[in-house]
Amino acid sequence: MTSAAGPRPAVEVADVIREHGAAFRAKFGGTLTGTQHKALRDLAVCRTAALGGHVERCLDCGHERIAYNSCRNRHCPKCQALARAQWLERQAQHLLPVAYYHVVFTLPPAVAELALANPRLLYDALFQAAAQTLREVAANPKRLGAQLGMLLVLHTWGQNLHHHPHIHAVVTGGGLACNARGDLEASPRWQSCRPGFFLPVRVLSRVFRGKYLDLLRRAFDRGQLVFPGRLAPLADRSAFTRWLTPLYRQEWVVYAKRPFGGPAQVLKYLARYTHRVAIGNQRLVDMTPSPLGGEGRGEGTVTFRYKDYADAQRHKTMTVSAEEFLRRFVQHVLPKGFVKIRHYGLLANRSRAQRLALCRSLLLAVNVVAHLPAAASTVAPAREPTCPQCGGSRLAVCVLLREPAPPRRDTS
């Protein structure tokens, strides 16, 4: 009997959780959110007998192949392919035949630490500040004078798995002409960016800084922020003001990458970035078990690959304790229901179809999907299942029921 899952990496995130998760939860369970507990449980049983599955038996040669069900947790490295393909097919309908630009907005470390304690509120503020910055600067007639189409994606990690919240913005290289308030002109026209130049990065950085800190101050005034642990002194208004003041003078990191060549390149980029999780299984190199067993009395280790941007982007390996690896991993589990991919401007859900149709008519172009390679714009149709041994198509399927779940430990 074979597995339908294909070649398996030497080490998976699920292996680390199964080997060291019990000790990690025993030590830190009281500080984890319900969503973080669920992510650890789901990833540990993904594509195992615990979730059930099915067995395919070839009626010609008798070969059997087993396939276990996926957990479908959005933080699982093994469960993003189908969701990504379906999402990309929908996004292909929204692309315009224009240049696209890639802008990244990053929170400074001091603010990122507060965001980790208030993820839903301050990640949402990150989306708001980034979108408002692009909208305001682009609408300025001295800069561009247009309403853009914007797709924003939240990532919360760096290559070493430390907390590093930032927004990737994929933005149209132009838009519908508007006034400084963002109101569209009565006679619609397409306003393009200068070739190879989007918007001044220094201006974007300073506007972004002001908008985010304004949202932060308002959240404090409304009593919406929490200050656990070493952040506790900031609950005092005067201390919070002293902490906030130097952030207005600090340069915030906003940078624009090279423009995409066209819609096909945008789809290729989105395929890599939108449904990415904190670390993929292909980056894990090795895992050592806990020397004294899995009850936390000894420390195992995890080794993974990373790209060191501070050292000419060299590829390196890092070894950390299994406890530290899991601590870094769970801090990237997003709050329940939090939307990490959002559309603004011309791509906002309201009136999107009408505005994109107007843009295409102004650009004298048909739907851009017609010009994309079929593989880039559509999900490949499912192939008829065949036997991997003899190629026969006469397969009998037997459903495997889930294994009974073990009693859940009380983590309160």
Side-chain angles (χ1 to χ4, degrees), residues 364-376:
L364 302 178
V366 296
N367 190 327
V368 70
V369 178
H371 300 290
L372 293 176

Side-chain angles (χ1 to χ4, degrees), residues 146-170:
Q147 185 181 111
L148 306 171
M150 299 173 277
L151 185 149
L152 274 56
V153 183
L154 172 69
H155 284 176
T156 62
W157 57 84
Q159 280 280 305
N160 55 12
L161 278 184
H162 282 308
H163 189 236
H164 179 65
H166 56 284
I167 289 282
H168 291 269
V170 177

Side-chain angles (χ1 to χ4, degrees), residues 15-352:
D15 296 325
V16 181
I17 297 173
R18 285 192 285 266
E19 176 70 23
H20 301 282
F24 179 77
R25 284 190 291 266
K27 185 172 181 179
F28 298 103
T31 63
L32 301 180
T33 66
T35 309
Q36 290 171 329
H37 277 293
K38 185 177 187 303
L40 291 174
R41 290 195 303 270
D42 288 351
L43 270 62
V45 298
C46 185
R47 298 186 186 179
T48 69
L51 294 184
H54 64 271
V55 175
E56 294 176 349
R57 186 175 189 277
C58 179
L59 299 180
D60 294 324
C61 70
H63 178 77
E64 292 185 346
R65 180 171 62 172
I66 189 168
Y68 292 119
N69 293 331
S70 301
C71 69
R72 298 189 180 181
N73 191 297
R74 63 171 169 170
H75 302 97
C76 178
K78 295 186 288 190
C79 290
Q80 307 308 309
L82 180 60
R84 178 174 59 245
Q86 293 172 337
W87 183 85
L88 283 172
E89 185 172 38
R90 295 193 298 271
Q91 298 312 302
Q93 309 299 320
H94 306 154
L95 292 174
L96 295 170
V98 299
Y100 281 78
Y101 290 82
H102 179 191
V103 187
V104 183
F105 297 84
T106 304
L107 290 182
V111 182
E113 184 178 6
L114 185 60
L116 186 58
N118 300 267
R120 186 180 297 276
L121 182 66
L122 297 190
Y123 292 163
D124 190 64
L126 180 53
F127 273 107
Q128 291 182 55
Q132 290 172 11
T133 296
L134 289 167
R135 184 185 300 121
E136 181 178 303
V137 177
N140 187 333
K142 295 180 180 179
R143 306 297 180 190
L144 179 61
Q147 185 181 111
L148 306 171
M150 299 173 277
L151 185 149
L152 274 56
V153 183
L154 172 69
H155 284 176
T156 62
W157 57 84
Q159 280 280 305
N160 55 12
L161 278 184
H162 282 308
H163 189 236
H164 179 65
H166 56 284
I167 289 282
H168 291 269
V170 177
V171 190
T172 54
L176 294 177
C178 68
N179 62 23
R181 296 190 306 273
D183 303 322
L184 297 182
E185 292 184 354
S187 299
R189 63 184 177 88
W190 180 265
Q191 180 69 31
S192 294
C193 295
R194 285 184 293 165
F197 179 80
F198 180 52
L199 294 169
V201 170
R202 177 166 291 186
V203 174
L204 291 172
S205 174
R206 292 179 178 177
V207 174
F208 171 62
R209 177 183 63 190
K211 290 190 174 296
Y212 193 90
L213 291 178
D214 180 61
L215 290 169
L216 196 56
R217 186 183 293 275
R218 292 185 185 187
F220 182 89
D221 291 341
R222 290 192 292 262
Q224 295 176 306
L225 298 174
V226 297
F227 301 95
R230 66 179 186 176
L231 296 173
L234 297 181
D236 176 75
R237 178 172 294 277
S238 59
F240 184 79
T241 301
R242 289 194 301 271
W243 174 82
L244 201 63
T245 299
L247 291 171
Y248 281 98
R249 298 190 297 269
Q250 182 178 336
E251 291 293 336
W252 287 38
V253 178
V254 175
Y255 64 94
K257 295 191 174 183
R258 288 188 303 172
F260 297 107
Q265 286 76 16
V266 174
L267 276 184
K268 185 177 180 181
Y269 167 83
L270 293 177
R272 292 200 314 267
Y273 275 84
T274 52
H275 290 72
R276 181 175 289 184
V277 297
I279 187 168
N281 289 327
Q282 72 279 2
R283 287 178 54 199
L284 270 61
V285 177
D286 189 30
M287 176 189 70
T288 62
S290 180
L292 300 178
E295 299 301 322
R297 294 184 296 272
E299 279 199 347
T301 62
V302 177
T303 301
F304 61 92
R305 300 182 186 90
Y306 72 103
K307 186 185 295 185
D308 190 348
Y309 289 101
D311 187 14
Q313 301 189 28
R314 286 188 170 87
H315 290 271
K316 301 180 180 180
T317 60
M318 176 181 293
T319 299
V320 297
S321 69
E323 177 184 291
E324 174 61 12
F325 177 85
L326 291 175
R327 185 197 68 80
R328 295 187 192 185
F329 182 81
V330 298
Q331 67 185 350
H332 306 298
V333 173
L334 296 174
K336 182 178 180 180
F338 188 87
V339 180
K340 71 172 186 175
I341 305 174
R342 305 186 187 185
H343 301 80
Y344 297 89
L346 301 177
L347 297 180
N349 290 333
R350 186 176 65 177
S351 304
R352 176 168 56 200

